[in-house]
Amino acid sequence: KDFEDEQARILGMNILIATPGRLLQHFEQTYGLNVDNVQILILDEADRLLDMGFKSTLDYILNALPKDRQTLLFSATQTKSVNSLARLSMRKPEYLNVHPSKNEVDRMPTKLKQHYMVIDHYAKLDVLYSFVRTH
């Protein structure tokens, strides 16, 4: 996506989904960036981020965001580095596995359905609120 377009939208976000590199770019280049209202941080492929040398970037990002946010780390593999990141950046982390080991309980819903919607920026909070209230 175009960085300038993102700059206009990122100033009013409550839920933040970004690659560490792009988020760091916004920290450095987006004038007036205020992340005090970020309530949810989502990082996909957390293990790969650490393997690719993003640890210092992730540490910077996690320290810059509010401490009382919800952090979601997604990873196809559960590595020691992801566990370390979870311990450092989360209170009472929960782990969900699609294929649990013998000693774990399978907490993945068996009838899980995934959907997505493309929403205009001005309507995002209304749609999210309506979705949460009805589900």
Side-chain angles (χ1 to χ4, degrees), residues 38-89:
V38 171
Q39 298 169 14
I40 301 173
L41 172 68
I42 300 171
L43 295 174
D44 193 14
E45 298 298 338
D47 59 329
R48 295 285 299 138
L49 298 173
L50 294 168
D51 291 344
M52 294 169 51
F54 280 102
K55 184 180 181 334
S56 61
T57 301
L58 287 172
D59 290 341
Y60 177 84
I61 291 168
L62 293 172
N63 288 327
L65 294 172
K67 302 293 183 232
D68 60 343
R69 71 180 182 279
Q70 180 180 13
T71 302
L72 304 172
L73 302 175
F74 293 92
S75 178
T77 58
Q78 193 68 31
T79 63
K80 289 181 182 179
S81 57
V82 172
N83 288 335
S84 297
L85 180 61
R87 281 195 305 275
L88 291 174
S89 65

Side-chain angles (χ1 to χ4, degrees), residues 13-120:
M13 291 198 176
N14 299 95
I15 300 172
L16 181 58
I17 304 171
T19 63
R22 179 66 97 177
L23 185 54
L24 184 62
Q25 184 180 9
H26 280 292
F27 276 122
E28 294 172 347
Q29 298 178 17
T30 301
Y31 178 76
L33 177 63
N34 182 341
V35 293
D36 292 344
N37 292 324
V38 171
Q39 298 169 14
I40 301 173
L41 172 68
I42 300 171
L43 295 174
D44 193 14
E45 298 298 338
D47 59 329
R48 295 285 299 138
L49 298 173
L50 294 168
D51 291 344
M52 294 169 51
F54 280 102
K55 184 180 181 334
S56 61
T57 301
L58 287 172
D59 290 341
Y60 177 84
I61 291 168
L62 293 172
N63 288 327
L65 294 172
K67 302 293 183 232
D68 60 343
R69 71 180 182 279
Q70 180 180 13
T71 302
L72 304 172
L73 302 175
F74 293 92
S75 178
T77 58
Q78 193 68 31
T79 63
K80 289 181 182 179
S81 57
V82 172
N83 288 335
S84 297
L85 180 61
R87 281 195 305 275
L88 291 174
S89 65
M90 299 177 162
R91 293 179 309 254
K92 300 179 186 176
E94 291 283 335
Y95 299 93
L96 294 178
N97 294 314
V98 175
H99 303 289
S101 68
K102 293 186 266 186
N103 300 334
E104 295 176 329
V105 175
D106 186 1
R107 295 186 297 183
M108 186 63 68
T110 57
K111 295 181 181 182
L112 178 66
K113 292 182 183 180
Q114 297 184 42
H115 302 276
Y116 74 93
M117 299 172 67
V118 178
I119 307 295
D120 288 328

